[in-house]
Amino acid sequence: MQEPSTGQEPSVPPAPPTPPVPLAALLSWGDLGLRQVTGPPAADVTITWAHTSEMSDPYPYLLGGELLLTAGVHIPRGTGPDTSYFDDYVARIVAAGGAALGFGVAPVHDTVPGALVAACEAYGLPLVEVPPRTTFSGVARAVWQLMARARTAELRRITEAQQGLAAAASRPDPVPSVLRRLAGRLEGRAVLYGPEGTEIAAAGREPSGEVRRALAELARFVTGHASSTATDTAAGTGLTAYALGTGPGFVLGVAAPHRESGDHAIASVAAVLLTLLTGEHQSGTGAARSSALVRLLLGARREEVAPLLGGGDGDGGAGRWYVVHARPTTGVPDAVSASALGTALGSALVDSAQDVVRVLVPAGPRRGAGAAPAEPAAQPGWTIGVSAGVAPAEWPAADVQAARALARAAATRSPLVRHAERRGFADLVPAGEAEAHARALLAPVDAVPALPETLRAWLSLHGSWDRTAVALSVHRNTVRQRIARCAALLEADLDDPDVRMELWFALRHPRA
Protein backbone atom coordinates (compact mmCIF):
# COMPACT_ATOMS: atom_id res chain seq x y z
CA MET A 1 0.00 0.00 0.00
CA GLN A 2 1.45 3.36 -1.06
CA GLU A 3 1.15 6.38 1.17
CA PRO A 4 0.75 9.75 -0.58
CA SER A 5 3.56 12.14 0.13
CA THR A 6 3.55 15.84 0.83
CA GLY A 7 6.69 16.31 -1.18
CA GLN A 8 9.11 15.87 1.74
CA GLU A 9 12.08 13.48 1.74
CA PRO A 10 11.30 9.95 3.01
CA SER A 11 12.51 9.05 6.47
CA VAL A 12 15.54 6.97 5.49
CA PRO A 13 19.24 7.22 6.30
CA PRO A 14 21.01 10.14 4.60
CA ALA A 15 22.85 9.39 1.39
CA PRO A 16 26.57 8.74 1.81
CA PRO A 17 28.98 10.45 -0.62
CA THR A 18 28.99 7.54 -3.03
CA PRO A 19 29.24 6.87 -6.73
CA PRO A 20 25.93 6.44 -8.59
CA VAL A 21 24.51 2.95 -8.95
CA PRO A 22 23.07 1.35 -12.09
CA LEU A 23 19.29 1.29 -12.37
CA ALA A 24 19.64 -2.33 -13.46
CA ALA A 25 21.01 -3.23 -10.01
CA LEU A 26 17.90 -1.79 -8.38
CA LEU A 27 15.56 -3.60 -10.78
CA SER A 28 17.17 -6.90 -9.82
CA TRP A 29 17.23 -6.13 -6.09
CA GLY A 30 15.65 -8.75 -3.84
CA ASP A 31 11.87 -9.00 -3.89
CA LEU A 32 11.04 -5.39 -4.77
CA GLY A 33 9.44 -6.57 -7.99
CA LEU A 34 10.31 -3.41 -9.94
CA ARG A 35 9.72 -3.48 -13.70
CA GLN A 36 10.93 -1.05 -16.33
CA VAL A 37 8.10 0.04 -18.62
CA THR A 38 9.98 2.25 -21.09
CA GLY A 39 13.10 4.32 -21.59
CA PRO A 40 16.78 3.60 -22.29
CA PRO A 41 18.30 0.27 -21.15
CA ALA A 42 18.60 0.14 -17.36
CA ALA A 43 22.28 -0.81 -17.59
CA ASP A 44 22.98 2.59 -19.16
CA VAL A 45 21.16 4.57 -16.46
CA THR A 46 22.60 5.48 -13.05
CA ILE A 47 20.86 6.98 -10.04
CA THR A 48 22.26 8.92 -7.10
CA TRP A 49 19.29 8.72 -4.74
CA ALA A 50 15.55 8.02 -4.47
CA HIS A 51 13.19 10.93 -3.81
CA THR A 52 9.43 10.80 -3.23
CA SER A 53 7.23 13.71 -4.32
CA GLU A 54 3.59 14.16 -5.27
CA MET A 55 4.07 17.72 -6.48
CA SER A 56 2.76 18.48 -9.97
CA ASP A 57 6.05 20.33 -10.57
CA PRO A 58 8.87 18.44 -8.83
CA TYR A 59 11.55 20.60 -10.43
CA PRO A 60 12.37 22.69 -7.28
CA TYR A 61 12.86 19.54 -5.21
CA LEU A 62 15.33 17.71 -7.47
CA LEU A 63 19.11 18.05 -7.48
CA GLY A 64 19.73 15.75 -10.44
CA GLY A 65 20.32 12.03 -10.76
CA GLU A 66 17.39 10.97 -8.57
CA LEU A 67 14.88 8.21 -9.02
CA LEU A 68 11.66 10.18 -8.49
CA LEU A 69 8.93 8.08 -6.87
CA THR A 70 5.25 9.04 -7.23
CA ALA A 71 1.85 7.37 -6.77
CA GLY A 72 0.16 9.85 -9.14
CA VAL A 73 -1.71 11.74 -6.41
CA HIS A 74 -0.85 14.99 -8.20
CA ILE A 75 -2.59 13.96 -11.44
CA PRO A 76 -5.86 15.95 -11.71
CA ARG A 77 -9.03 13.92 -11.98
CA GLY A 78 -10.23 13.52 -15.51
CA THR A 79 -6.82 14.10 -17.04
CA GLY A 80 -6.91 12.40 -20.42
CA PRO A 81 -4.27 11.38 -22.91
CA ASP A 82 -5.07 14.38 -25.08
CA THR A 83 -3.93 16.91 -22.50
CA SER A 84 -0.41 18.33 -22.13
CA TYR A 85 -0.19 17.53 -18.39
CA PHE A 86 1.99 14.45 -18.69
CA ASP A 87 4.27 16.04 -21.28
CA ASP A 88 4.79 19.08 -19.03
CA TYR A 89 5.34 16.88 -15.95
CA VAL A 90 7.98 14.67 -17.61
CA ALA A 91 9.65 17.65 -19.28
CA ARG A 92 10.17 19.31 -15.86
CA ILE A 93 11.71 16.11 -14.44
CA VAL A 94 14.12 15.87 -17.36
CA ALA A 95 14.97 19.57 -17.07
CA ALA A 96 15.83 19.08 -13.39
CA GLY A 97 18.18 16.22 -14.25
CA GLY A 98 16.04 13.42 -12.88
CA ALA A 99 17.47 10.01 -13.77
CA ALA A 100 14.27 7.93 -13.75
CA LEU A 101 10.62 7.95 -12.69
CA GLY A 102 9.12 5.26 -10.48
CA PHE A 103 5.31 5.03 -10.57
CA GLY A 104 3.41 3.21 -7.84
CA VAL A 105 0.24 1.50 -9.10
CA ALA A 106 -1.54 1.75 -5.74
CA PRO A 107 -3.51 3.17 -4.04
CA VAL A 108 -4.52 5.86 -6.56
CA HIS A 109 -3.99 4.15 -9.93
CA ASP A 110 -4.38 0.52 -10.90
CA THR A 111 -2.03 0.80 -13.87
CA VAL A 112 0.57 3.19 -15.16
CA PRO A 113 -1.25 5.81 -17.27
CA GLY A 114 -0.62 5.26 -20.97
CA ALA A 115 -0.11 9.00 -21.54
CA LEU A 116 2.66 8.97 -18.93
CA VAL A 117 4.31 6.03 -20.69
CA ALA A 118 4.17 7.90 -24.01
CA ALA A 119 5.61 11.07 -22.47
CA CYS A 120 8.51 9.19 -20.85
CA GLU A 121 9.23 7.43 -24.11
CA ALA A 122 9.20 10.72 -25.99
CA TYR A 123 11.63 12.41 -23.56
CA GLY A 124 13.86 9.35 -23.07
CA LEU A 125 13.13 9.11 -19.33
CA PRO A 126 13.24 5.59 -17.85
CA LEU A 127 9.86 4.68 -16.33
CA VAL A 128 9.72 2.00 -13.63
CA GLU A 129 6.55 0.36 -12.33
CA VAL A 130 6.43 -0.13 -8.55
CA PRO A 131 4.02 -2.95 -7.57
CA PRO A 132 1.41 -2.47 -4.79
CA ARG A 133 3.26 -4.63 -2.26
CA THR A 134 6.45 -2.53 -2.50
CA THR A 135 6.70 0.66 -0.44
CA PHE A 136 8.60 3.72 -1.56
CA SER A 137 10.63 3.60 1.66
CA GLY A 138 11.68 0.07 0.75
CA VAL A 139 12.87 1.27 -2.65
CA ALA A 140 14.77 4.17 -1.05
CA ARG A 141 16.38 1.80 1.45
CA ALA A 142 17.49 -0.52 -1.34
CA VAL A 143 19.02 2.42 -3.20
CA TRP A 144 20.88 3.46 -0.06
CA GLN A 145 22.23 -0.06 0.46
CA LEU A 146 23.37 -0.26 -3.16
CA MET A 147 25.15 3.06 -2.77
CA ALA A 148 26.82 1.91 0.44
CA ARG A 149 28.06 -1.19 -1.36
CA ALA A 150 29.32 0.92 -4.23
CA ARG A 151 31.14 3.19 -1.80
CA THR A 152 32.81 0.22 -0.11
CA ALA A 153 33.87 -1.19 -3.46
CA GLU A 154 35.19 2.23 -4.49
CA LEU A 155 37.23 2.61 -1.30
CA ARG A 156 38.64 -0.89 -1.74
CA ARG A 157 39.59 -0.08 -5.34
CA ILE A 158 41.28 3.16 -4.31
CA THR A 159 43.14 1.47 -1.46
CA GLU A 160 44.41 -1.32 -3.71
CA ALA A 161 45.47 1.25 -6.28
CA GLN A 162 47.32 3.29 -3.65
CA GLN A 163 49.20 0.22 -2.47
CA GLY A 164 50.08 -0.75 -6.03
CA LEU A 165 51.30 2.75 -6.90
CA ALA A 166 53.39 2.94 -3.72
CA ALA A 167 54.98 -0.41 -4.55
CA ALA A 168 55.69 0.80 -8.09
CA ALA A 169 57.34 3.95 -6.72
CA SER A 170 59.83 1.81 -4.77
CA ARG A 171 61.08 -0.04 -7.86
CA PRO A 172 64.43 0.78 -9.50
CA ASP A 173 62.54 2.45 -12.37
CA PRO A 174 59.95 4.27 -10.23
CA VAL A 175 58.50 6.73 -12.73
CA PRO A 176 57.85 4.23 -15.57
CA SER A 177 56.51 1.77 -13.00
CA VAL A 178 54.06 4.31 -11.55
CA LEU A 179 52.89 5.28 -15.04
CA ARG A 180 52.38 1.63 -16.01
CA ARG A 181 50.42 0.89 -12.84
CA LEU A 182 48.26 4.02 -13.25
CA ALA A 183 47.54 3.30 -16.93
CA GLY A 184 46.58 -0.26 -16.05
CA ARG A 185 44.24 0.85 -13.29
CA LEU A 186 42.47 3.40 -15.49
CA GLU A 187 42.65 1.24 -18.63
CA GLY A 188 44.03 4.21 -20.52
CA ARG A 189 47.19 6.21 -21.13
CA ALA A 190 49.44 7.93 -18.57
CA VAL A 191 52.08 10.43 -19.71
CA LEU A 192 54.74 12.43 -17.85
CA TYR A 193 55.51 15.76 -19.52
CA GLY A 194 58.67 17.73 -18.78
CA PRO A 195 58.91 21.46 -18.01
CA GLU A 196 59.12 22.25 -21.74
CA GLY A 197 56.01 20.20 -22.51
CA THR A 198 57.98 17.31 -24.00
CA GLU A 199 56.85 13.73 -23.35
CA ILE A 200 59.40 12.16 -21.00
CA ALA A 201 57.75 8.82 -20.27
CA ALA A 202 54.43 7.15 -21.05
CA ALA A 203 52.59 3.89 -20.50
CA GLY A 204 49.33 2.26 -21.51
CA ARG A 205 47.30 2.17 -24.68
CA GLU A 206 48.54 4.40 -27.46
CA PRO A 207 45.71 6.90 -28.17
CA SER A 208 44.78 8.43 -31.50
CA GLY A 209 46.66 11.45 -32.79
CA GLU A 210 43.76 13.72 -31.87
CA VAL A 211 43.73 12.52 -28.27
CA ARG A 212 47.52 12.71 -28.00
CA ARG A 213 47.58 16.31 -29.23
CA ALA A 214 44.68 17.33 -26.99
CA LEU A 215 46.35 15.82 -23.93
CA ALA A 216 49.63 17.61 -24.66
CA GLU A 217 47.73 20.87 -25.10
CA LEU A 218 45.94 20.32 -21.78
CA ALA A 219 49.31 19.75 -20.08
CA ARG A 220 50.61 23.03 -21.49
CA PHE A 221 47.46 24.75 -20.26
CA VAL A 222 48.08 23.56 -16.71
CA THR A 223 51.67 24.83 -16.66
CA GLY A 224 50.54 28.28 -17.76
CA HIS A 225 47.66 28.78 -15.33
CA ALA A 226 47.13 28.89 -11.59
CA SER A 227 44.94 25.77 -11.60
CA SER A 228 46.78 22.57 -10.77
CA THR A 229 44.24 20.32 -12.53
CA ALA A 230 42.36 20.56 -15.81
CA THR A 231 39.97 18.23 -17.65
CA ASP A 232 38.79 17.94 -21.22
CA THR A 233 37.35 15.44 -23.69
CA ALA A 234 38.63 14.47 -27.13
CA ALA A 235 37.26 11.80 -29.46
CA GLY A 236 35.13 10.39 -26.65
CA THR A 237 38.15 10.03 -24.35
CA GLY A 238 38.33 11.76 -20.98
CA LEU A 239 41.50 13.80 -20.45
CA THR A 240 42.97 15.08 -17.20
CA ALA A 241 46.21 16.94 -16.48
CA TYR A 242 47.82 17.30 -13.04
CA ALA A 243 50.57 19.83 -12.36
CA LEU A 244 53.35 18.25 -10.27
CA GLY A 245 54.66 20.62 -7.60
CA THR A 246 53.85 24.22 -6.87
CA GLY A 247 55.53 25.89 -9.85
CA PRO A 248 55.91 25.34 -13.61
CA GLY A 249 57.49 21.98 -14.24
CA PHE A 250 56.39 18.40 -14.72
CA VAL A 251 52.80 17.48 -15.60
CA LEU A 252 50.96 14.15 -15.39
CA GLY A 253 48.51 13.61 -18.26
CA VAL A 254 45.85 10.89 -18.18
CA ALA A 255 43.62 9.76 -21.05
CA ALA A 256 40.92 7.19 -20.26
CA PRO A 257 38.10 5.95 -22.54
CA HIS A 258 35.67 6.02 -19.62
CA ARG A 259 35.64 7.68 -16.24
CA GLU A 260 34.75 5.75 -13.12
CA SER A 261 34.18 6.94 -9.61
CA GLY A 262 37.50 6.99 -7.77
CA ASP A 263 39.63 7.54 -10.89
CA HIS A 264 40.45 11.09 -9.84
CA ALA A 265 41.54 9.94 -6.38
CA ILE A 266 43.77 7.24 -7.91
CA ALA A 267 45.35 9.64 -10.38
CA SER A 268 45.89 12.19 -7.60
CA VAL A 269 47.88 9.63 -5.62
CA ALA A 270 50.03 8.98 -8.67
CA ALA A 271 50.52 12.73 -9.10
CA VAL A 272 51.75 13.06 -5.51
CA LEU A 273 54.22 10.18 -5.96
CA LEU A 274 55.49 11.60 -9.24
CA THR A 275 55.89 15.00 -7.60
CA LEU A 276 58.19 13.42 -5.01
CA LEU A 277 60.09 11.45 -7.66
CA THR A 278 60.63 14.37 -10.01
CA GLY A 279 60.92 17.19 -7.49
CA GLU A 280 64.16 19.00 -6.89
CA HIS A 281 65.80 18.04 -3.59
CA GLN A 282 66.22 20.66 -0.89
CA SER A 283 70.02 20.28 -0.75
CA GLY A 284 70.45 23.26 -3.03
CA THR A 285 68.57 25.39 -5.50
CA GLY A 286 69.07 25.20 -9.22
CA ALA A 287 70.48 28.72 -9.22
CA ALA A 288 73.11 27.81 -6.62
CA ARG A 289 74.19 24.73 -8.58
CA SER A 290 74.38 26.76 -11.78
CA SER A 291 76.57 29.28 -9.99
CA ALA A 292 78.82 26.50 -8.73
CA LEU A 293 79.18 25.08 -12.25
CA VAL A 294 80.06 28.49 -13.70
CA ARG A 295 82.71 29.07 -11.04
CA LEU A 296 84.25 25.66 -11.66
CA LEU A 297 84.39 26.33 -15.39
CA LEU A 298 86.06 29.66 -14.71
CA GLY A 299 88.77 28.06 -12.61
CA ALA A 300 87.49 28.21 -9.03
CA ARG A 301 88.66 25.49 -6.63
CA ARG A 302 86.27 22.78 -5.48
CA GLU A 303 86.58 23.99 -1.88
CA GLU A 304 85.24 27.38 -2.97
CA VAL A 305 82.15 26.10 -4.80
CA ALA A 306 81.23 23.33 -2.34
CA PRO A 307 79.31 25.71 -0.01
CA LEU A 308 76.98 26.58 -2.92
CA LEU A 309 76.04 22.91 -3.21
CA GLY A 310 74.88 22.62 0.41
CA GLY A 311 75.36 19.82 2.93
CA GLY A 312 78.80 18.74 4.03
CA ASP A 313 78.38 18.04 7.79
CA GLY A 314 76.05 20.98 8.09
CA ASP A 315 78.89 23.52 7.85
CA GLY A 316 78.05 25.01 4.47
CA GLY A 317 79.59 22.31 2.32
CA ALA A 318 83.16 22.47 3.62
CA GLY A 319 82.96 19.10 5.41
CA ARG A 320 82.97 15.55 4.13
CA TRP A 321 81.34 14.24 0.97
CA TYR A 322 80.73 10.80 -0.48
CA VAL A 323 80.90 9.80 -4.11
CA VAL A 324 78.42 7.07 -4.99
CA HIS A 325 78.47 4.88 -8.10
CA ALA A 326 75.29 2.90 -8.71
CA ARG A 327 73.96 0.53 -11.33
CA PRO A 328 70.38 -0.85 -11.46
CA THR A 329 70.10 -4.58 -10.88
CA THR A 330 68.09 -4.85 -14.10
CA GLY A 331 68.11 -2.69 -17.19
CA VAL A 332 69.84 0.64 -17.63
CA PRO A 333 69.10 3.82 -15.67
CA ASP A 334 67.14 6.69 -17.18
CA ALA A 335 67.26 10.33 -16.15
CA VAL A 336 64.19 10.13 -13.93
CA SER A 337 65.22 6.96 -12.06
CA ALA A 338 68.68 8.49 -11.56
CA SER A 339 67.05 11.60 -10.08
CA ALA A 340 64.93 9.40 -7.81
CA LEU A 341 68.07 7.62 -6.59
CA GLY A 342 69.66 10.98 -5.82
CA THR A 343 66.59 12.01 -3.84
CA ALA A 344 66.71 8.75 -1.87
CA LEU A 345 70.41 9.31 -1.09
CA GLY A 346 69.81 12.92 -0.08
CA SER A 347 71.39 14.76 -3.00
CA ALA A 348 70.31 16.46 -6.22
CA LEU A 349 73.89 16.28 -7.59
CA VAL A 350 73.38 13.37 -9.99
CA ASP A 351 75.14 12.37 -13.19
CA SER A 352 73.90 9.51 -15.36
CA ALA A 353 76.40 8.26 -17.93
CA GLN A 354 75.90 5.00 -19.84
CA ASP A 355 74.97 2.30 -17.33
CA VAL A 356 76.33 3.95 -14.16
CA VAL A 357 74.79 6.72 -12.06
CA ARG A 358 77.17 8.91 -10.06
CA VAL A 359 75.90 10.89 -7.09
CA LEU A 360 77.82 13.44 -5.04
CA VAL A 361 76.35 13.14 -1.56
CA PRO A 362 77.05 15.62 1.25
CA ALA A 363 77.73 13.92 4.56
CA GLY A 364 74.58 13.82 6.67
CA PRO A 365 74.15 15.30 10.16
CA ARG A 366 75.99 13.69 13.02
CA ARG A 367 73.99 11.66 15.50
CA GLY A 368 75.86 12.82 18.56
CA ALA A 369 79.14 14.28 19.70
CA GLY A 370 82.05 12.55 18.03
CA ALA A 371 79.79 10.44 15.83
CA ALA A 372 80.61 9.93 12.17
CA PRO A 373 78.34 11.54 9.59
CA ALA A 374 75.54 9.38 8.23
CA GLU A 375 76.69 7.42 5.18
CA PRO A 376 74.70 6.54 2.02
CA ALA A 377 72.62 3.41 2.54
CA ALA A 378 71.66 0.57 0.22
CA GLN A 379 68.68 1.20 -2.05
CA PRO A 380 66.26 -1.46 -3.37
CA GLY A 381 66.97 -2.40 -6.98
CA TRP A 382 70.44 -0.85 -7.10
CA THR A 383 74.02 -2.11 -6.75
CA ILE A 384 76.04 0.62 -5.08
CA GLY A 385 79.66 1.49 -4.41
CA VAL A 386 80.49 4.24 -1.90
CA SER A 387 83.73 6.13 -1.50
CA ALA A 388 85.29 7.20 1.77
CA GLY A 389 84.11 10.51 3.17
CA VAL A 390 86.40 13.17 1.69
CA ALA A 391 86.89 16.91 1.49
CA PRO A 392 85.97 18.63 -1.81
CA ALA A 393 89.61 18.66 -2.93
CA GLU A 394 89.59 14.85 -2.88
CA TRP A 395 86.50 14.31 -5.04
CA PRO A 396 88.46 12.83 -8.01
CA ALA A 397 90.13 10.25 -5.77
CA ALA A 398 86.77 9.43 -4.19
CA ASP A 399 85.31 8.93 -7.66
CA VAL A 400 87.92 6.23 -8.31
CA GLN A 401 87.18 4.64 -4.93
CA ALA A 402 83.44 4.51 -5.67
CA ALA A 403 84.05 2.91 -9.08
CA ARG A 404 86.20 0.17 -7.50
CA ALA A 405 83.65 -0.38 -4.74
CA LEU A 406 80.88 -0.76 -7.34
CA ALA A 407 82.93 -3.31 -9.28
CA ARG A 408 83.47 -5.30 -6.09
CA ALA A 409 79.76 -5.07 -5.20
CA ALA A 410 78.82 -6.42 -8.64
CA ALA A 411 81.34 -9.26 -8.39
CA THR A 412 80.23 -10.30 -4.91
CA ARG A 413 76.52 -9.66 -5.65
CA SER A 414 76.32 -7.31 -2.71
CA PRO A 415 73.78 -4.44 -2.66
CA LEU A 416 76.39 -2.00 -1.33
CA VAL A 417 80.16 -1.97 -0.84
CA ARG A 418 82.06 0.84 0.87
CA HIS A 419 85.65 1.82 0.27
CA ALA A 420 87.69 0.55 3.21
CA GLU A 421 89.65 3.23 5.07
CA ARG A 422 92.45 1.80 7.17
CA ARG A 423 96.23 2.21 7.26
CA GLY A 424 98.42 -0.63 6.02
CA PHE A 425 102.07 -1.46 5.29
CA ALA A 426 101.92 0.53 2.08
CA ASP A 427 101.46 3.71 4.13
CA LEU A 428 104.93 3.17 5.67
CA VAL A 429 106.65 3.71 2.31
CA PRO A 430 107.11 7.35 1.22
CA ALA A 431 104.62 8.20 -1.51
CA GLY A 432 107.28 9.30 -4.00
CA GLU A 433 109.28 6.12 -3.67
CA ALA A 434 106.13 3.96 -3.82
CA GLU A 435 104.96 5.67 -7.01
CA ALA A 436 108.39 5.31 -8.68
CA HIS A 437 108.47 1.61 -7.80
CA ALA A 438 104.92 1.13 -9.11
CA ARG A 439 105.74 2.81 -12.42
CA ALA A 440 108.82 0.66 -12.94
CA LEU A 441 107.14 -2.59 -11.93
CA LEU A 442 103.93 -2.13 -13.91
CA ALA A 443 105.33 -0.39 -16.99
CA PRO A 444 104.93 -3.49 -19.22
CA VAL A 445 101.19 -3.87 -18.48
CA ASP A 446 100.47 -0.12 -18.31
CA ALA A 447 101.42 0.05 -21.99
CA VAL A 448 98.53 -2.28 -22.94
CA PRO A 449 94.93 -1.01 -22.55
CA ALA A 450 92.61 -2.97 -20.24
CA LEU A 451 95.41 -5.02 -18.64
CA PRO A 452 95.98 -2.86 -15.51
CA GLU A 453 92.28 -2.74 -14.62
CA THR A 454 91.85 -6.46 -15.30
CA LEU A 455 94.86 -7.29 -13.11
CA ARG A 456 93.54 -5.04 -10.34
CA ALA A 457 90.06 -6.60 -10.41
CA TRP A 458 91.46 -10.14 -10.57
CA LEU A 459 93.75 -9.57 -7.59
CA SER A 460 91.02 -7.84 -5.57
CA LEU A 461 88.75 -10.85 -6.11
CA HIS A 462 91.39 -13.37 -5.05
CA GLY A 463 92.01 -14.72 -8.53
CA SER A 464 88.38 -15.64 -9.26
CA TRP A 465 87.82 -15.84 -13.03
CA ASP A 466 84.03 -15.75 -12.81
CA ARG A 467 83.70 -12.85 -10.39
CA THR A 468 86.30 -10.84 -12.28
CA ALA A 469 84.36 -11.43 -15.50
CA VAL A 470 81.18 -10.19 -13.81
CA ALA A 471 82.93 -7.10 -12.42
CA LEU A 472 84.38 -6.17 -15.80
CA SER A 473 81.36 -7.30 -17.87
CA VAL A 474 83.50 -9.55 -20.05
CA HIS A 475 83.72 -13.30 -20.72
CA ARG A 476 85.75 -15.38 -18.28
CA ASN A 477 87.99 -16.53 -21.13
CA THR A 478 88.84 -12.90 -21.83
CA VAL A 479 89.93 -12.56 -18.19
CA ARG A 480 92.13 -15.67 -18.51
CA GLN A 481 93.77 -14.34 -21.67
CA ARG A 482 94.47 -10.94 -20.14
CA ILE A 483 95.93 -12.37 -16.92
CA ALA A 484 98.12 -14.76 -18.94
CA ARG A 485 99.33 -11.74 -20.95
CA CYS A 486 100.11 -9.88 -17.70
CA ALA A 487 102.13 -12.83 -16.39
CA ALA A 488 104.12 -12.98 -19.62
CA LEU A 489 104.81 -9.24 -19.75
CA LEU A 490 105.80 -9.10 -16.07
CA GLU A 491 107.76 -12.37 -16.30
CA ALA A 492 106.21 -13.32 -12.97
CA ASP A 493 104.37 -16.27 -11.45
CA LEU A 494 100.97 -14.83 -10.55
CA ASP A 495 100.18 -17.90 -8.47
CA ASP A 496 102.90 -16.80 -6.01
CA PRO A 497 101.24 -14.91 -3.11
CA ASP A 498 104.34 -12.72 -2.63
CA VAL A 499 104.13 -11.63 -6.27
CA ARG A 500 100.44 -10.94 -5.93
CA MET A 501 101.01 -8.86 -2.80
CA GLU A 502 103.71 -6.75 -4.42
CA LEU A 503 101.59 -6.17 -7.54
CA TRP A 504 98.59 -5.22 -5.43
CA PHE A 505 100.57 -2.61 -3.51
CA ALA A 506 101.90 -1.22 -6.79
CA LEU A 507 98.46 -1.03 -8.37
CA ARG A 508 97.20 1.10 -5.50
CA HIS A 509 99.56 3.97 -6.34
CA PRO A 510 99.19 6.51 -9.20
CA ARG A 511 101.61 5.98 -12.07
CA ALA A 512 100.75 8.75 -14.50
Side-chain angles (χ1 to χ4, degrees), residues 320-408:
R320 296 172 64 190
W321 295 72
Y322 297 100
V323 177
V324 173
H325 282 215
R327 183 182 291 118
T329 53
T330 58
V332 296
D334 54 42
V336 180
S337 62
S339 176
L341 174 65
T343 300
L345 294 174
S347 176
L349 306 173
V350 181
D351 172 49
S352 180
Q354 297 179 350
D355 63 338
V356 174
V357 176
R358 299 191 300 175
V359 187
L360 187 59
V361 182
R366 298 178 184 272
R367 295 188 175 89
E375 297 181 347
Q379 301 297 322
W382 292 89
T383 301
I384 295 176
V386 183
S387 74
V390 299
E394 301 173 281
W395 285 346
D399 187 51
V400 175
Q401 294 174 0
R404 294 173 181 170
L406 175 61
R408 188 166 185 83

Side-chain angles (χ1 to χ4, degrees), residues 270-492:
V272 171
L273 292 172
L274 291 172
T275 298
L276 297 175
L277 293 172
T278 59
E280 188 174 44
H281 196 268
Q282 299 299 320
S283 61
T285 64
R289 289 199 298 276
S290 296
S291 178
L293 175 60
V294 170
R295 295 188 189 186
L296 280 174
L297 292 174
L298 294 179
R301 295 185 304 164
R302 300 181 187 90
E303 297 89 333
E304 297 174 359
V305 302
L308 295 175
L309 302 176
D313 292 345
D315 59 358
R320 296 172 64 190
W321 295 72
Y322 297 100
V323 177
V324 173
H325 282 215
R327 183 182 291 118
T329 53
T330 58
V332 296
D334 54 42
V336 180
S337 62
S339 176
L341 174 65
T343 300
L345 294 174
S347 176
L349 306 173
V350 181
D351 172 49
S352 180
Q354 297 179 350
D355 63 338
V356 174
V357 176
R358 299 191 300 175
V359 187
L360 187 59
V361 182
R366 298 178 184 272
R367 295 188 175 89
E375 297 181 347
Q379 301 297 322
W382 292 89
T383 301
I384 295 176
V386 183
S387 74
V390 299
E394 301 173 281
W395 285 346
D399 187 51
V400 175
Q401 294 174 0
R404 294 173 181 170
L406 175 61
R408 188 166 185 83
T412 59
R413 294 181 173 84
S414 302
L416 183 144
V417 169
R418 305 182 192 276
H419 176 76
E421 267 193 327
R422 62 173 183 266
R423 294 182 62 83
F425 289 113
D427 299 316
L428 303 177
V429 180
E433 295 182 17
E435 292 174 10
H437 175 70
R439 281 194 298 270
L441 178 62
L442 298 173
V445 296
D446 281 337
V448 182
L451 291 188
E453 189 59 31
T454 302
L455 181 59
R456 180 194 302 277
W458 184 73
L459 290 174
S460 71
L461 297 171
H462 310 293
S464 171
W465 308 110
D466 292 330
R467 290 195 294 169
T468 304
V470 171
L472 298 178
S473 300
V474 298
H475 195 275
R476 66 195 307 271
N477 289 342
T478 302
V479 177
R480 287 182 176 274
Q481 294 169 3
R482 291 179 182 177
I483 296 302
R485 183 79 183 281
C486 290
L489 291 173
L490 295 171
E491 298 180 354

Side-chain angles (χ1 to χ4, degrees), residues 45 115 143 231 253 255 310 358 420:
V45 179
V143 171
T231 59
R358 299 191 300 175

